[in-house]
Amino acid sequence: MEGFTFDTRAEDLRHVWIPLTFKMSISKSQGLEISSWPEGEELSAAEEEEGASIYDLVVTVPHILDARTGGNLVAHIKVGETYHQRKEGVTHQQWYLFNDFLIEPIDKTEAAQFDVSWKVPGLLYYARRNYHTKYDLRIKNPIDASVLLTEASLARKQRKSHATFIPLMVSEMPQAGDLMGLDAEFVTLNQEEAELRSDGTKSTIKPSQMSVARITCVRGQGANEGVPFIDDYISTQEQVVDYLTQYSGIKPGDLDAKISSKHLTTLKSTYLKLRFLIDTGVRFVGHGLQKDFRVINLLVLKDQVVDTVYLFHLPRKRMISLRFLAWYFLENPHRLQVIG
């Protein structure tokens, strides 16, 4: 990597500067050459002809050291012109800091500079400049529809008579815009760690860790409208500290393949099903889906979600519970006309 080095300050070798931009090319002897490059400067026509490419730093993930908690990861992400043009009507790029509690704009130096005594680089991601103009980067669904068909349960005691859903048939495969009801249940793997400040307020040292334990999807149309086609209990090897049975209905043993009578799957299997549905373009209907998708760690476009938490929410009013909505509309059918 001739001509390409990380910059360390002479007065303190703990400080490391990661290059924001570099050039990569193949030498006449077919060797790989990587060299520093001024940020924002473009290649000449001759350099492009020779196959040279510019790479820009777009993500850094440092590990913030903390002896009390073991530290945590944060992300520095360079958000491009397209987002700011759509949201703010201006064309520019901006670095942002992402962590569990906030998102805020930062200077590029904060993303590229590290002090290894407390801020250690864990991941550096560079993107080839103008790559999208040369190649088709449209997302294609890499997941086959077969993930939604019948699969065996991991549970040894699960029987067909206990099935709580009917898998989709090939003729029922979802299309863009189809409605699907979705519900998710979670268990707690680690309790929240907090401390009280001298003024009586609570400070969160380490947030609780939730894990998805059950995913249910219901048909929104067709001959079997209202019939679940996914009802997966997610097997976990982690120690569950709270099954939240009062809210989730999950009981000890439900997630254990040795004794469970539920349709037990792996997280990967269920994740692929949801990913397929999302990429297909179906619309999910449910209560509190924004939070559910965040915990499951899935990105779903806003126009693919119909969330009754917000559908029936009035400005400056409290959120309405699903129990109340079910009572109001399902036990009082004449009131359904207010939906229209």
Side-chain angles (χ1 to χ4, degrees):
M1 297 195 300
E2 183 178 340
F4 179 74
T5 59
F6 293 117
D7 178 29
T8 57
R9 297 182 180 183
E11 67 272 16
D12 188 349
L13 294 179
R14 296 178 307 177
H15 289 80
V16 179
W17 174 265
I18 305 299
L20 292 166
T21 306
F22 65 82
K23 184 180 80 169
M24 184 180 293
S25 59
I26 302 298
S27 66
K28 293 181 179 179
S29 60
Q30 298 302 302
L32 179 63
E33 291 185 346
I34 302 177
S35 56
S36 58
W37 189 260
E39 185 186 9
E41 186 172 322
E42 298 291 341
L43 291 170
S44 66
E47 288 172 316
E48 288 186 352
E49 284 291 329
E50 293 173 356
S53 300
I54 299 299
Y55 288 81
D56 296 306
L57 183 67
V58 291
V59 177
T60 65
V61 180
H63 180 208
I64 307 302
L65 305 181
D66 187 331
R68 291 191 309 159
T69 65
N72 62 285
L73 297 174
V74 300
H76 301 140
I77 302 176
K78 185 180 183 181
V79 179
E81 295 92 339
T82 303
Y83 171 84
H84 293 97
Q85 175 69 33
R86 185 174 71 250
K87 292 292 185 179
E88 304 169 7
V90 295
T91 302
H92 73 285
Q93 297 180 342
Q94 174 65 51
W95 282 91
Y96 290 90
L97 179 145
F98 292 76
N99 65 19
D100 290 339
F101 303 101
L102 59 86
I103 301 173
E104 66 176 6
I106 59 172
D107 188 82
K108 61 185 178 183
T109 57
E110 185 173 343
Q113 186 173 338
F114 297 87
D115 181 342
V116 296
S117 65
W118 66 274
K119 181 183 178 185
V120 181
L123 181 147
L124 308 175
Y125 181 80
Y126 287 85
R128 183 174 172 180
R129 188 181 297 178
N130 300 326
Y131 191 78
H132 64 282
T133 62
K134 300 179 182 180
Y135 303 94
D136 182 7
L137 298 182
R138 288 175 296 180
I139 295 176
K140 302 178 181 65
N141 197 339
I143 304 171
D144 191 84
S146 61
V147 297
L148 294 178
L149 302 179
T150 304
E151 66 173 354
S153 172
L154 298 176
R156 299 175 185 175
K157 294 186 177 181
Q158 200 263 346
R159 301 174 182 173
K160 290 184 179 179
S161 59
H162 293 162
T164 55
F165 66 101
I166 300 176
L168 290 177
M169 296 183 293
V170 174
S171 59
E172 293 183 289
M173 282 300 139
Q175 305 296 321
D178 284 355
L179 294 177
M180 302 288 178
L182 185 140
D183 187 33
E185 304 295 347
F186 303 92
V187 293
T188 302
L189 301 182
N190 292 301
Q191 298 285 13
E192 176 185 88
E193 295 181 15
E195 62 181 7
L196 287 176
R197 298 192 182 97
S198 58
D199 60 0
T201 60
K202 185 176 75 169
S203 173
T204 300
I205 299 175
K206 189 176 182 180
S208 62
Q209 181 184 354
M210 308 291 289
S211 178
V212 61
R214 183 182 181 183
I215 296 287
T216 305
C217 284
V218 177
R219 295 168 174 85
Q221 59 276 308
N224 288 323
E225 179 180 349
V227 177
F229 63 93
I230 295 173
D231 191 17
D232 289 352
Y233 286 74
I234 314 301
S235 177
T236 179
Q237 303 301 317
E238 301 273 355
Q239 182 179 0
V240 178
V241 300
D242 191 346
Y243 286 90
L244 304 173
T245 305
Q246 179 182 354
Y247 309 102
S248 69
I250 308 293
K251 300 176 182 178
D254 284 349
L255 309 183
D256 187 338
K258 296 179 181 179
I259 60 177
S260 178
S261 62
K262 309 299 183 181
H263 182 78
L264 208 59
T265 69
T266 63
L267 178 59
K268 179 180 179 180
S269 174
T270 304
Y271 193 96
L272 287 174
K273 296 173 189 176
L274 293 177
R275 188 73 262 170
F276 176 83
L277 293 172
I278 294 167
D279 294 345
T280 299
V282 305
R283 300 181 70 199
F284 295 96
V285 181
H287 196 77
L289 291 181
Q290 184 179 37
K291 179 181 178 181
D292 289 351
F293 286 132
R294 185 172 69 249
V295 178
I296 298 171
N297 197 25
L298 280 169
L299 176 64
V300 186
L301 296 178
K302 188 176 181 179
D303 59 4
Q304 284 183 249
V305 178
V306 181
D307 196 330
T308 51
V309 161
Y310 301 104
L311 189 63
F312 296 97
H313 179 245
L314 298 176
R316 296 182 295 279
K317 300 289 185 180
R318 69 180 180 87
M319 299 294 185
I320 300 176
S321 70
L322 181 60
R323 174 178 293 184
F324 176 82
L325 289 176
W327 169 82
Y328 189 87
F329 290 113
L330 301 183
E331 294 190 15
N332 301 273
H334 65 281
R335 289 174 174 167
L336 286 173
Q337 60 184 345
V338 302
I339 296 180

PDB file of all heavy atoms in Angstrom, residues 135-163:
ATOM      1  N   TYR A 135     -23.056   1.026 -12.169  1.00  0.00           N
ATOM      2  CA  TYR A 135     -23.639  -0.290 -11.959  1.00  0.00           C
ATOM      3  C   TYR A 135     -25.085  -0.157 -11.490  1.00  0.00           C
ATOM      4  O   TYR A 135     -25.472   0.858 -10.909  1.00  0.00           O
ATOM      5  CB  TYR A 135     -22.836  -1.081 -10.916  1.00  0.00           C
ATOM      6  CG  TYR A 135     -21.379  -1.252 -11.277  1.00  0.00           C
ATOM      7  CD1 TYR A 135     -20.423  -0.356 -10.804  1.00  0.00           C
ATOM      8  CD2 TYR A 135     -20.974  -2.294 -12.106  1.00  0.00           C
ATOM      9  CE1 TYR A 135     -19.080  -0.502 -11.140  1.00  0.00           C
ATOM     10  CE2 TYR A 135     -19.638  -2.446 -12.447  1.00  0.00           C
ATOM     11  CZ  TYR A 135     -18.697  -1.553 -11.962  1.00  0.00           C
ATOM     12  OH  TYR A 135     -17.374  -1.692 -12.311  1.00  0.00           O
ATOM     13  N   ASP A 136     -25.876  -1.189 -11.749  1.00  0.00           N
ATOM     14  CA  ASP A 136     -27.271  -1.220 -11.319  1.00  0.00           C
ATOM     15  C   ASP A 136     -27.314  -1.673  -9.862  1.00  0.00           C
ATOM     16  O   ASP A 136     -27.066  -2.837  -9.554  1.00  0.00           O
ATOM     17  CB  ASP A 136     -28.060  -2.190 -12.204  1.00  0.00           C
ATOM     18  CG  ASP A 136     -29.533  -2.232 -11.824  1.00  0.00           C
ATOM     19  OD1 ASP A 136     -29.955  -1.427 -10.976  1.00  0.00           O
ATOM     20  OD2 ASP A 136     -30.260  -3.079 -12.382  1.00  0.00           O
ATOM     21  N   LEU A 137     -27.613  -0.738  -8.959  1.00  0.00           N
ATOM     22  CA  LEU A 137     -27.620  -1.040  -7.535  1.00  0.00           C
ATOM     23  C   LEU A 137     -29.029  -1.184  -6.965  1.00  0.00           C
ATOM     24  O   LEU A 137     -29.215  -1.163  -5.764  1.00  0.00           O
ATOM     25  CB  LEU A 137     -26.875   0.058  -6.759  1.00  0.00           C
ATOM     26  CG  LEU A 137     -25.395   0.234  -7.104  1.00  0.00           C
ATOM     27  CD1 LEU A 137     -24.784   1.311  -6.235  1.00  0.00           C
ATOM     28  CD2 LEU A 137     -24.633  -1.067  -6.948  1.00  0.00           C
ATOM     29  N   ARG A 138     -30.014  -1.330  -7.860  1.00  0.00           N
ATOM     30  CA  ARG A 138     -31.371  -1.508  -7.359  1.00  0.00           C
ATOM     31  C   ARG A 138     -31.465  -2.809  -6.566  1.00  0.00           C
ATOM     32  O   ARG A 138     -30.919  -3.839  -6.952  1.00  0.00           O
ATOM     33  CB  ARG A 138     -32.365  -1.535  -8.517  1.00  0.00           C
ATOM     34  CG  ARG A 138     -32.578  -0.170  -9.176  1.00  0.00           C
ATOM     35  CD  ARG A 138     -33.472  -0.284 -10.383  1.00  0.00           C
ATOM     36  NE  ARG A 138     -32.836  -1.106 -11.415  1.00  0.00           N
ATOM     37  CZ  ARG A 138     -33.404  -1.376 -12.598  1.00  0.00           C
ATOM     38  NH1 ARG A 138     -34.598  -0.899 -12.870  1.00  0.00           N
ATOM     39  NH2 ARG A 138     -32.762  -2.122 -13.489  1.00  0.00           N
ATOM     40  N   ILE A 139     -32.190  -2.743  -5.441  1.00  0.00           N
ATOM     41  CA  ILE A 139     -32.290  -3.909  -4.567  1.00  0.00           C
ATOM     42  C   ILE A 139     -33.124  -4.991  -5.244  1.00  0.00           C
ATOM     43  O   ILE A 139     -34.226  -4.754  -5.712  1.00  0.00           O
ATOM     44  CB  ILE A 139     -32.919  -3.523  -3.219  1.00  0.00           C
ATOM     45  CG1 ILE A 139     -31.998  -2.559  -2.467  1.00  0.00           C
ATOM     46  CG2 ILE A 139     -33.190  -4.766  -2.379  1.00  0.00           C
ATOM     47  CD1 ILE A 139     -32.570  -2.058  -1.173  1.00  0.00           C
ATOM     48  N   LYS A 140     -32.553  -6.160  -5.331  1.00  0.00           N
ATOM     49  CA  LYS A 140     -33.286  -7.319  -5.846  1.00  0.00           C
ATOM     50  C   LYS A 140     -33.481  -8.276  -4.677  1.00  0.00           C
ATOM     51  O   LYS A 140     -32.607  -8.441  -3.838  1.00  0.00           O
ATOM     52  CB  LYS A 140     -32.500  -7.994  -6.972  1.00  0.00           C
ATOM     53  CG  LYS A 140     -32.192  -7.070  -8.150  1.00  0.00           C
ATOM     54  CD  LYS A 140     -31.377  -7.789  -9.198  1.00  0.00           C
ATOM     55  CE  LYS A 140     -31.053  -6.869 -10.369  1.00  0.00           C
ATOM     56  NZ  LYS A 140     -30.188  -5.758  -9.990  1.00  0.00           N
ATOM     57  N   ASN A 141     -34.651  -8.905  -4.638  1.00  0.00           N
ATOM     58  CA  ASN A 141     -34.947  -9.795  -3.516  1.00  0.00           C
ATOM     59  C   ASN A 141     -34.107 -11.063  -3.635  1.00  0.00           C
ATOM     60  O   ASN A 141     -34.345 -11.892  -4.518  1.00  0.00           O
ATOM     61  CB  ASN A 141     -36.436 -10.152  -3.516  1.00  0.00           C
ATOM     62  CG  ASN A 141     -36.860 -10.713  -2.171  1.00  0.00           C
ATOM     63  OD1 ASN A 141     -36.035 -11.183  -1.407  1.00  0.00           O
ATOM     64  ND2 ASN A 141     -38.152 -10.648  -1.890  1.00  0.00           N
ATOM     65  N   PRO A 142     -33.104 -11.231  -2.762  1.00  0.00           N
ATOM     66  CA  PRO A 142     -32.243 -12.411  -2.861  1.00  0.00           C
ATOM     67  C   PRO A 142     -32.830 -13.624  -2.136  1.00  0.00           C
ATOM     68  O   PRO A 142     -32.246 -14.701  -2.152  1.00  0.00           O
ATOM     69  CB  PRO A 142     -30.965 -11.941  -2.153  1.00  0.00           C
ATOM     70  CG  PRO A 142     -31.470 -10.998  -1.107  1.00  0.00           C
ATOM     71  CD  PRO A 142     -32.703 -10.324  -1.681  1.00  0.00           C
ATOM     72  N   ILE A 143     -33.987 -13.444  -1.498  1.00  0.00           N
ATOM     73  CA  ILE A 143     -34.580 -14.514  -0.695  1.00  0.00           C
ATOM     74  C   ILE A 143     -35.684 -15.182  -1.497  1.00  0.00           C
ATOM     75  O   ILE A 143     -36.550 -14.518  -2.069  1.00  0.00           O
ATOM     76  CB  ILE A 143     -35.142 -13.957   0.624  1.00  0.00           C
ATOM     77  CG1 ILE A 143     -34.046 -13.213   1.386  1.00  0.00           C
ATOM     78  CG2 ILE A 143     -35.717 -15.075   1.484  1.00  0.00           C
ATOM     79  CD1 ILE A 143     -34.558 -12.443   2.582  1.00  0.00           C
ATOM     80  N   ASP A 144     -35.640 -16.501  -1.550  1.00  0.00           N
ATOM     81  CA  ASP A 144     -36.621 -17.256  -2.324  1.00  0.00           C
ATOM     82  C   ASP A 144     -37.934 -17.355  -1.554  1.00  0.00           C
ATOM     83  O   ASP A 144     -37.949 -17.450  -0.319  1.00  0.00           O
ATOM     84  CB  ASP A 144     -36.076 -18.654  -2.617  1.00  0.00           C
ATOM     85  CG  ASP A 144     -36.931 -19.381  -3.647  1.00  0.00           C
ATOM     86  OD1 ASP A 144     -36.720 -19.168  -4.857  1.00  0.00           O
ATOM     87  OD2 ASP A 144     -37.821 -20.148  -3.219  1.00  0.00           O
ATOM     88  N   ALA A 145     -39.055 -17.371  -2.298  1.00  0.00           N
ATOM     89  CA  ALA A 145     -40.384 -17.441  -1.683  1.00  0.00           C
ATOM     90  C   ALA A 145     -40.591 -18.727  -0.894  1.00  0.00           C
ATOM     91  O   ALA A 145     -41.500 -18.809  -0.063  1.00  0.00           O
ATOM     92  CB  ALA A 145     -41.461 -17.304  -2.753  1.00  0.00           C
ATOM     93  N   SER A 146     -39.739 -19.710  -1.113  1.00  0.00           N
ATOM     94  CA  SER A 146     -39.891 -20.994  -0.420  1.00  0.00           C
ATOM     95  C   SER A 146     -39.743 -20.865   1.098  1.00  0.00           C
ATOM     96  O   SER A 146     -40.140 -21.765   1.835  1.00  0.00           O
ATOM     97  CB  SER A 146     -38.869 -22.010  -0.944  1.00  0.00           C
ATOM     98  OG  SER A 146     -37.547 -21.559  -0.709  1.00  0.00           O
ATOM     99  N   VAL A 147     -39.175 -19.747   1.575  1.00  0.00           N
ATOM    100  CA  VAL A 147     -39.020 -19.578   3.027  1.00  0.00           C
ATOM    101  C   VAL A 147     -40.373 -19.508   3.724  1.00  0.00           C
ATOM    102  O   VAL A 147     -40.462 -19.734   4.941  1.00  0.00           O
ATOM    103  CB  VAL A 147     -38.196 -18.305   3.369  1.00  0.00           C
ATOM    104  CG1 VAL A 147     -36.788 -18.417   2.818  1.00  0.00           C
ATOM    105  CG2 VAL A 147     -38.890 -17.046   2.863  1.00  0.00           C
ATOM    106  N   LEU A 148     -41.449 -19.201   2.958  1.00  0.00           N
ATOM    107  CA  LEU A 148     -42.775 -19.083   3.553  1.00  0.00           C
ATOM    108  C   LEU A 148     -43.557 -20.390   3.519  1.00  0.00           C
ATOM    109  O   LEU A 148     -44.659 -20.470   4.076  1.00  0.00           O
ATOM    110  CB  LEU A 148     -43.582 -17.994   2.841  1.00  0.00           C
ATOM    111  CG  LEU A 148     -43.080 -16.553   2.995  1.00  0.00           C
ATOM    112  CD1 LEU A 148     -43.962 -15.608   2.203  1.00  0.00           C
ATOM    113  CD2 LEU A 148     -43.051 -16.139   4.456  1.00  0.00           C
ATOM    114  N   LEU A 149     -43.013 -21.405   2.857  1.00  0.00           N
ATOM    115  CA  LEU A 149     -43.713 -22.674   2.755  1.00  0.00           C
ATOM    116  C   LEU A 149     -43.509 -23.505   4.017  1.00  0.00           C
ATOM    117  O   LEU A 149     -42.800 -23.109   4.942  1.00  0.00           O
ATOM    118  CB  LEU A 149     -43.228 -23.426   1.516  1.00  0.00           C
ATOM    119  CG  LEU A 149     -43.412 -22.671   0.183  1.00  0.00           C
ATOM    120  CD1 LEU A 149     -42.870 -23.497  -0.974  1.00  0.00           C
ATOM    121  CD2 LEU A 149     -44.882 -22.314  -0.050  1.00  0.00           C
ATOM    122  N   THR A 150     -44.113 -24.662   4.076  1.00  0.00           N
ATOM    123  CA  THR A 150     -44.070 -25.524   5.261  1.00  0.00           C
ATOM    124  C   THR A 150     -42.637 -25.848   5.666  1.00  0.00           C
ATOM    125  O   THR A 150     -41.791 -26.157   4.819  1.00  0.00           O
ATOM    126  CB  THR A 150     -44.833 -26.830   4.998  1.00  0.00           C
ATOM    127  OG1 THR A 150     -46.173 -26.514   4.606  1.00  0.00           O
ATOM    128  CG2 THR A 150     -44.871 -27.692   6.242  1.00  0.00           C
ATOM    129  N   GLU A 151     -42.351 -25.773   6.965  1.00  0.00           N
ATOM    130  CA  GLU A 151     -41.040 -26.142   7.499  1.00  0.00           C
ATOM    131  C   GLU A 151     -41.226 -26.964   8.761  1.00  0.00           C
ATOM    132  O   GLU A 151     -42.245 -26.866   9.444  1.00  0.00           O
ATOM    133  CB  GLU A 151     -40.198 -24.894   7.808  1.00  0.00           C
ATOM    134  CG  GLU A 151     -40.761 -24.055   8.935  1.00  0.00           C
ATOM    135  CD  GLU A 151     -39.850 -22.917   9.345  1.00  0.00           C
ATOM    136  OE1 GLU A 151     -38.731 -22.819   8.845  1.00  0.00           O
ATOM    137  OE2 GLU A 151     -40.296 -22.114  10.188  1.00  0.00           O
ATOM    138  N   ALA A 152     -40.219 -27.766   9.074  1.00  0.00           N
ATOM    139  CA  ALA A 152     -40.284 -28.600  10.267  1.00  0.00           C
ATOM    140  C   ALA A 152     -39.975 -27.775  11.505  1.00  0.00           C
ATOM    141  O   ALA A 152     -39.188 -26.823  11.456  1.00  0.00           O
ATOM    142  CB  ALA A 152     -39.287 -29.761  10.144  1.00  0.00           C
ATOM    143  N   SER A 153     -40.597 -28.146  12.616  1.00  0.00           N
ATOM    144  CA  SER A 153     -40.339 -27.471  13.890  1.00  0.00           C
ATOM    145  C   SER A 153     -39.120 -28.070  14.562  1.00  0.00           C
ATOM    146  O   SER A 153     -38.840 -29.270  14.443  1.00  0.00           O
ATOM    147  CB  SER A 153     -41.555 -27.607  14.810  1.00  0.00           C
ATOM    148  OG  SER A 153     -41.260 -27.113  16.102  1.00  0.00           O
ATOM    149  N   LEU A 154     -38.385 -27.236  15.271  1.00  0.00           N
ATOM    150  CA  LEU A 154     -37.239 -27.714  16.038  1.00  0.00           C
ATOM    151  C   LEU A 154     -37.670 -28.459  17.297  1.00  0.00           C
ATOM    152  O   LEU A 154     -36.903 -29.225  17.873  1.00  0.00           O
ATOM    153  CB  LEU A 154     -36.339 -26.534  16.429  1.00  0.00           C
ATOM    154  CG  LEU A 154     -35.703 -25.730  15.297  1.00  0.00           C
ATOM    155  CD1 LEU A 154     -34.919 -24.553  15.878  1.00  0.00           C
ATOM    156  CD2 LEU A 154     -34.799 -26.596  14.450  1.00  0.00           C
ATOM    157  N   ALA A 155     -38.899 -28.208  17.733  1.00  0.00           N
ATOM    158  CA  ALA A 155     -39.395 -28.812  18.967  1.00  0.00           C
ATOM    159  C   ALA A 155     -39.683 -30.294  18.755  1.00  0.00           C
ATOM    160  O   ALA A 155     -40.363 -30.676  17.802  1.00  0.00           O
ATOM    161  CB  ALA A 155     -40.655 -28.090  19.445  1.00  0.00           C
ATOM    162  N   ARG A 156     -39.201 -31.128  19.640  1.00  0.00           N
ATOM    163  CA  ARG A 156     -39.378 -32.568  19.514  1.00  0.00           C
ATOM    164  C   ARG A 156     -40.815 -33.001  19.793  1.00  0.00           C
ATOM    165  O   ARG A 156     -41.290 -34.016  19.293  1.00  0.00           O
ATOM    166  CB  ARG A 156     -38.428 -33.290  20.472  1.00  0.00           C
ATOM    167  CG  ARG A 156     -36.956 -33.002  20.195  1.00  0.00           C
ATOM    168  CD  ARG A 156     -36.065 -33.643  21.251  1.00  0.00           C
ATOM    169  NE  ARG A 156     -34.663 -33.258  21.049  1.00  0.00           N
ATOM    170  CZ  ARG A 156     -33.679 -33.601  21.879  1.00  0.00           C
ATOM    171  NH1 ARG A 156     -33.945 -34.333  22.958  1.00  0.00           N
ATOM    172  NH2 ARG A 156     -32.433 -33.219  21.630  1.00  0.00           N
ATOM    173  N   LYS A 157     -41.524 -32.235  20.627  1.00  0.00           N
ATOM    174  CA  LYS A 157     -42.867 -32.643  21.041  1.00  0.00           C
ATOM    175  C   LYS A 157     -43.965 -31.980  20.221  1.00  0.00           C
ATOM    176  O   LYS A 157     -45.144 -32.219  20.457  1.00  0.00           O
ATOM    177  CB  LYS A 157     -43.085 -32.311  22.524  1.00  0.00           C
ATOM    178  CG  LYS A 157     -42.189 -33.118  23.460  1.00  0.00           C
ATOM    179  CD  LYS A 157     -42.563 -32.848  24.914  1.00  0.00           C
ATOM    180  CE  LYS A 157     -41.725 -33.690  25.864  1.00  0.00           C
ATOM    181  NZ  LYS A 157     -42.096 -33.467  27.281  1.00  0.00           N
ATOM    182  N   GLN A 158     -43.585 -31.116  19.293  1.00  0.00           N
ATOM    183  CA  GLN A 158     -44.602 -30.403  18.529  1.00  0.00           C
ATOM    184  C   GLN A 158     -45.326 -31.353  17.588  1.00  0.00           C
ATOM    185  O   GLN A 158     -44.707 -32.145  16.877  1.00  0.00           O
ATOM    186  CB  GLN A 158     -43.966 -29.262  17.730  1.00  0.00           C
ATOM    187  CG  GLN A 158     -44.938 -28.184  17.305  1.00  0.00           C
ATOM    188  CD  GLN A 158     -45.428 -28.364  15.878  1.00  0.00           C
ATOM    189  OE1 GLN A 158     -44.863 -29.124  15.126  1.00  0.00           O
ATOM    190  NE2 GLN A 158     -46.477 -27.663  15.536  1.00  0.00           N
ATOM    191  N   ARG A 159     -46.644 -31.314  17.591  1.00  0.00           N
ATOM    192  CA  ARG A 159     -47.450 -32.163  16.728  1.00  0.00           C
ATOM    193  C   ARG A 159     -48.303 -31.312  15.801  1.00  0.00           C
ATOM    194  O   ARG A 159     -48.592 -30.156  16.085  1.00  0.00           O
ATOM    195  CB  ARG A 159     -48.363 -33.061  17.568  1.00  0.00           C
ATOM    196  CG  ARG A 159     -47.602 -33.966  18.544  1.00  0.00           C
ATOM    197  CD  ARG A 159     -48.586 -34.707  19.423  1.00  0.00           C
ATOM    198  NE  ARG A 159     -47.906 -35.542  20.413  1.00  0.00           N
ATOM    199  CZ  ARG A 159     -48.527 -36.184  21.392  1.00  0.00           C
ATOM    200  NH1 ARG A 159     -49.848 -36.079  21.506  1.00  0.00           N
ATOM    201  NH2 ARG A 159     -47.836 -36.921  22.241  1.00  0.00           N
ATOM    202  N   LYS A 160     -48.733 -31.931  14.702  1.00  0.00           N
ATOM    203  CA  LYS A 160     -49.563 -31.203  13.750  1.00  0.00           C
ATOM    204  C   LYS A 160     -50.864 -30.737  14.383  1.00  0.00           C
ATOM    205  O   LYS A 160     -51.398 -29.691  14.041  1.00  0.00           O
ATOM    206  CB  LYS A 160     -49.859 -32.090  12.536  1.00  0.00           C
ATOM    207  CG  LYS A 160     -48.637 -32.345  11.655  1.00  0.00           C
ATOM    208  CD  LYS A 160     -49.014 -33.146  10.416  1.00  0.00           C
ATOM    209  CE  LYS A 160     -47.793 -33.361   9.533  1.00  0.00           C
ATOM    210  NZ  LYS A 160     -48.124 -34.156   8.322  1.00  0.00           N
ATOM    211  N   SER A 161     -51.363 -31.517  15.335  1.00  0.00           N
ATOM    212  CA  SER A 161     -52.631 -31.145  15.972  1.00  0.00           C
ATOM    213  C   SER A 161     -52.497 -29.873  16.797  1.00  0.00           C
ATOM    214  O   SER A 161     -53.478 -29.242  17.139  1.00  0.00           O
ATOM    215  CB  SER A 161     -53.129 -32.288  16.866  1.00  0.00           C
ATOM    216  OG  SER A 161     -52.164 -32.578  17.870  1.00  0.00           O
ATOM    217  N   HIS A 162     -51.232 -29.510  17.125  1.00  0.00           N
ATOM    218  CA  HIS A 162     -50.999 -28.319  17.923  1.00  0.00           C
ATOM    219  C   HIS A 162     -50.748 -27.082  17.048  1.00  0.00           C
ATOM    220  O   HIS A 162     -50.507 -26.006  17.573  1.00  0.00           O
ATOM    221  CB  HIS A 162     -49.787 -28.532  18.842  1.00  0.00           C
ATOM    222  CG  HIS A 162     -50.039 -29.562  19.902  1.00  0.00           C
ATOM    223  ND1 HIS A 162     -49.020 -30.168  20.594  1.00  0.00           N
ATOM    224  CD2 HIS A 162     -51.195 -30.095  20.383  1.00  0.00           C
ATOM    225  CE1 HIS A 162     -49.519 -31.043  21.462  1.00  0.00           C
ATOM    226  NE2 HIS A 162     -50.838 -31.007  21.348  1.00  0.00           N
ATOM    227  N   ALA A 163     -50.764 -27.271  15.727  1.00  0.00           N
ATOM    228  CA  ALA A 163     -50.436 -26.170  14.823  1.00  0.00           C
ATOM    229  C   ALA A 163     -51.408 -25.009  15.016  1.00  0.00           C
ATOM    230  O   ALA A 163     -52.627 -25.202  15.095  1.00  0.00           O
ATOM    231  CB  ALA A 163     -50.456 -26.644  13.378  1.00  0.00           C
TER     232      ALA A 163
END
